[in-house]
Structures are given as structure tokens and as C-alpha cells.
Amino acid sequence: MLYYGEMTHSVRTRFAPSPTGYLHVGGIRTALFAYLVAKQAGGAFVLRFEDTDKKREVEGSAKHLIESLHAIGIEYDEGPDIGGAYGPYIQSERLDRYKAWAQKLIDAGRAYADPYSAEEVQQFREQAQKEKRAFLYRNHRPESAGVWDGSQPLRFKSEPKSYSYHDEVMGDIATSPEVVDDFILIKSDGYPTYNFAHIVDDTEMEISHVIRGQEFISSMPNFLALYEALGFDMTAKHEAQAELQGEGQDGESISTSQRRGKPLPKFAHLPHIMNEQGNKKLGKRDGAKDVLDYIRGGYLPETMMSFIATLGWNDGTEQEVFTKDELVEKFSLSRVQRGGARFDEKRLLWMNGHFIRELSLDELEKRVEDFWPEAALQADSGHRRNVLALAQDRLKTLADLPTLTSYFFEEPSPDWTMLEGNKQLKKLEKDDTRHLLEQSVSALKESDFTAAALQETLNQLLETTGQKPGILFSLIRLAVSWAPFSPALPETLATLGKETTLKRLETALASLS
């Protein structure tokens, strides 16, 4: 039985990726916006796999997509791995449904078997190019196509007209009859096209909001033509959904003249995410990498959610960082900008540092379990915790932990070439460097090595040497850590302890040939 009834009051959104590769920030943003719309309204967020293009499917992609959503905290209410009342949630498991809907279009005279070979269609297209006119398949529509037996493509029989609709992001959009054409509903291999399958799925799954990329705007005239042919009321308001009667039993006409039809879902087409220069759509070369790579690289799920949400959206205030709860509360499609959003890697890094600093030390300990340098695994857990507390303010990613802390757990090797990377230290003559280190050793021998006492000792050293903090403190820091950056110097020295600090300074002096 083929049926679609009254749309429920609840908001239902979906994310429907094709399992053809990894999920980058563009796809994640679409999923996130759909998730936030549903959660804000107390509705349901659905995951569905559109796997009807078997030639492009990549093994393992479905699992990878699920892991990516979970990794940044986008939890769906229904989906391929958890089920739900509207399943199956994989298109290749729904072929009988597409055929049933296709048959209704055939019975209504709105679909026909395509008798042409791919070569013949290509010839029609090339002829249109030669004549410098747009190719429209409907100009070659056969007068009598015969019965569709599934071995040929099934095409939609269009009735070109103008359409208008409201896009929740792009505003009011009007289209002209010239862009409506006879497109393929079901391919000769028995699989439906996206143009057909997603409309059937959204209808049967009671999807209230269709949120996707702006590349689909050009296809909307054909989508609307199909919606109309399937009996949707092209003028119905969503506020009246509960009053609308749905499709009847098999065999009933789908003509809108017989009844008031089901209302269209709301549409929202999202602008592209642009590269850092803002001059083209973000691609792999520009940083459109796997979302899981960011997580593996030490970016927090909270960071990825907040950063991606604010790619092209803001709440109208100066707030830049949002928790998940704040996003659910404040998100609105009406505040999504119509222009492309620029991907800013530096802003992502800054935001990640912010979220790391917001974590409790107990929570941070859990997050960094897989990021400690190997030498730290042999150290006392209390010492590791003290080092982590010291490093927290300086971490930009969790992956910075080894560089920032390894010298607390093992002896570093002097590397005087590192001075070349410091604009101020590289100007020091060798004798000046030696003299400053000798003065530092003498002064630090007298300190009791609490952070407060060390700060006082270092301040006195500044007066004694007449040097700037950027030179003196950087030199001491380098000589005890041989790391490109470290936590605050007094706390670093206090954590290393007096014996280790003095030993490393002496070693640095000895290596200064």
C-alpha cells in the first residue's frame, strides 16, 4: 500500500549523504544546521544514506560518516544503524518504494519509458550545442514510448511552468518554464536518481525541512514540478499542516484537482564555504580535510561544532564561541548569511585553545590520554597532572602536548640552531649568550624555587643584566627545554625543580662552543 498521510506537527530534518568518501566541513555544516533546527523545536534529526550511485560508492564510507557525526556530537534520532519508524534509511533497501511511486506517475500519465540509447541522447545534446541553444530532453520526447519494463530509464513527463517558493536562507525565488525538463526518475539499472529518490524519501519520512547546499537551487524547478505531479499543494502554508489530508490508497488519482494536497517542506539552501582567501569554494587543497583528521589532530568536538556553526551564521551579537546548548537555543536559519563563509584556519586554532582552557583539569586528563609523549607514560601520574595543569593555558591543540611537555619527562639535547628562529636571540653574540647564562645560574642557585620566588629572582636578573624579558627569559627557557614554546617560565622552572634546571643550564653552557 502506498500512502502518505497528515504531516505531524513535529519538526523533522535529515542529513542524507552519499557514502562516497570522507565528510569534510561543508557536509558537517549541513548536518549540524539540520540537527540544530530539529533539536531547537524538540523534533527529530534523521540520518539517511543515498547510495543509489553504486559506481561512486566507496567501501567503508558509511561507517566513516557515522563516526564523523558522533565524533563532534551530532547525534541522530533515526538512522541506518539504529533504525526508526520510517526506515529503511538506506536508499538501496527502498527500491520497491520508488517503483511504487513511479507506477503512480505512469498511471497518471506523468512518466514514460525512455526509448533512446545514451549515444542518441548525446547526439541530441551535441546538436543543441551546435545550434547554440539549451538542450532540453522534452524537445525530443517520443510520441509513443511503449510500456516501461524496467530495462530502460524512466523519465518524468514535465509540464513546464513558472514556480516560486520561499527559501529559508536565500529568500523568495522565482523560476521560469524554460528550465523545467523531462529528467530521469529511475535508471536502467533499477536504481532511482537523486532527483526522484530524495523526494520520495522526504515524503515518506515526514521531513519538514530540507536543508542542503546551494548547488541544488538550479534543480529546484524540476523538484517542484515533481512535487506538484505527486499531489503536493504548491501554495499550502505550514501552519495549516494538521488540516491537510494526505494521499489515499493505491489506485487513487494524484491529481491536485481532486483534493487539497500535502504541503511542501520548507527549503533552505546553504551557501558554499570558501577558502581562506574567499575567492573560491573550499577544496581539499585549501583545507577541506576529513573531519576525523581534525579530531585525531587534537581539535575538540566542542571546537569543531562551534567553529562550523559560525561559518556563515551568527546570533546577531558579538559572541564568537558557542556551546552546544547555546547553539540549540540560539540557532536560526534566518540568520544564515547568503554569501559564502570564509574558512579561517587561524580562527579555528584560536577557538580550540579557548575550549581547551575551559575544560576542567580532570576532563582534560581524559582528553589527552592518547597525546602524551612516550616518556610521560613512565612518569608518576601526579607529576603528569602537574605538568598538564602547567601546560593547559598554552595548548592550542591536544597534539601540542608532546612538544610542550616532553622535556619534563626526558632530557632534551642542546640545539643552538634554534636561536636562529628567534628574532631577538639570533642577534646575541656567543660571549653575550654565555655571560647571560652564567649570570642566570648564579642567581637561580640562590632561589628556593617556588614559582613566586623564581619570578622575583628573574625580575632581579633583568635589572642585573639590563636585558629585555624577550631576550633573557627566552634564552633561559630555551636552555632548559630546547622546545619551540613552553608554559610560563617561573612555573616551568618550579616544576622542573632546582637540580634539573641548574643541570640543564650547565649543560647548555658546556655545549656552547
Side-chain angles (χ1 to χ4, degrees), residues 220-232:
M220 277 297 292
N222 284 328
F223 296 162
L224 293 171
L226 181 56
Y227 274 116
E228 187 171 39
L230 291 173
F232 281 75

Side-chain angles (χ1 to χ4, degrees), residues 162-174:
S162 297
Y163 291 98
S164 62
Y165 66 98
H166 178 74
D167 189 291
E168 300 299 311
V169 172
M170 299 297 179
D172 293 329
I173 298 177

Side-chain angles (χ1 to χ4, degrees), residues 216-275:
F216 290 100
I217 290 179
S218 61
S219 299
M220 277 297 292
N222 284 328
F223 296 162
L224 293 171
L226 181 56
Y227 274 116
E228 187 171 39
L230 291 173
F232 281 75
D233 184 345
M234 310 304 285
T235 62
K237 302 297 183 183
H238 289 270
E239 290 77 11
Q241 285 173 359
E243 300 176 3
L244 302 182
Q245 297 300 314
E247 188 66 48
Q249 305 292 330
D250 283 337
E252 291 184 12
S253 171
I254 60 174
S255 169
T256 56
S257 63
Q258 294 189 11
R259 61 168 175 78
R260 190 179 181 189
K262 183 182 180 73
L264 292 174
K266 292 185 177 182
F267 300 104
H269 291 92
L270 309 179
H272 295 312
I273 297 176
M274 311 300 286
N275 64 3

Side-chain angles (χ1 to χ4, degrees), residues 260-499:
R260 190 179 181 189
K262 183 182 180 73
L264 292 174
K266 292 185 177 182
F267 300 104
H269 291 92
L270 309 179
H272 295 312
I273 297 176
M274 311 300 286
N275 64 3
E276 291 205 57
Q277 293 71 40
N279 57 7
K280 65 175 181 177
K281 182 180 177 182
L282 182 69
K284 292 182 180 179
R285 293 182 180 179
D286 308 296
K289 58 186 179 183
D290 188 340
V291 168
L292 288 182
D293 282 345
Y294 283 107
I295 300 298
R296 287 189 286 261
Y299 285 85
L300 302 184
E302 299 95 316
T303 301
M304 298 308 300
M305 179 172 286
S306 179
F307 176 76
I308 291 171
T310 52
L311 285 173
W313 171 84
N314 67 77
D315 68 342
T317 71
E318 297 299 316
Q319 185 172 344
E320 293 189 67
V321 179
F322 296 85
T323 64
K324 185 175 183 177
D325 288 343
E326 287 174 329
L327 288 172
V328 170
E329 177 188 353
K330 298 183 178 184
F331 183 78
S332 169
L333 286 171
S334 65
R335 293 207 60 85
V336 176
Q337 67 186 39
R338 297 181 183 181
R342 187 170 63 88
F343 185 90
D344 187 343
E345 192 86 37
K346 291 180 180 178
R347 180 170 173 268
L348 173 61
L349 193 62
W350 164 82
M351 191 177 291
N352 200 54
H354 167 84
F355 275 106
I356 288 175
R357 291 189 296 275
E358 291 293 305
L359 294 176
S360 69
L361 189 57
D362 287 342
E363 181 61 27
L364 183 58
E365 277 191 293
K366 297 176 185 177
R367 304 289 186 102
V368 300
E369 284 181 354
D370 297 329
F371 290 93
W372 282 110
E374 187 174 349
L377 302 179
Q378 310 303 320
D380 175 78
S381 59
H383 180 50
R384 276 204 309 272
R385 183 178 173 90
N386 290 338
V387 170
L388 183 61
L390 180 60
Q392 182 170 10
D393 283 350
R394 295 296 180 94
L395 288 171
K396 293 182 179 179
T397 74
L398 301 183
D400 292 336
L401 193 63
T403 301
L404 199 60
T405 66
S406 61
Y407 56 88
F408 286 105
F409 305 103
E410 59 185 346
E411 289 299 313
S413 299
D415 180 8
W416 289 106
T417 63
M418 294 184 70
L419 268 67
E420 296 302 315
N422 187 296
K423 292 181 179 180
Q424 299 186 71
L425 291 183
K426 69 180 182 180
K427 298 176 182 179
L428 284 177
E429 296 292 336
K430 186 176 295 184
D431 287 343
D432 293 330
T433 300
R434 179 179 289 107
H435 186 55
L436 286 174
L437 287 178
E438 289 172 345
Q439 289 178 289
S440 299
V441 170
S442 297
L444 291 170
K445 282 181 178 179
E446 304 303 318
S447 175
D448 64 7
F449 263 69
T450 64
L454 284 164
Q455 183 66 68
E456 184 177 343
T457 298
L458 291 169
N459 288 338
Q460 290 173 351
L461 259 176
L462 288 175
E463 295 182 15
T464 302
T465 61
Q467 280 292 351
K468 299 177 181 178
I471 293 179
L472 180 63
F473 293 174
S474 295
L475 181 60
I476 297 173
R477 177 188 61 75
L478 200 62
V480 299
S481 70
W482 299 105
F485 55 91
S486 69
L489 185 57
E491 287 78 7
T492 296
L493 300 181
T495 303
L496 285 171
K498 189 171 187 176
E499 181 180 352

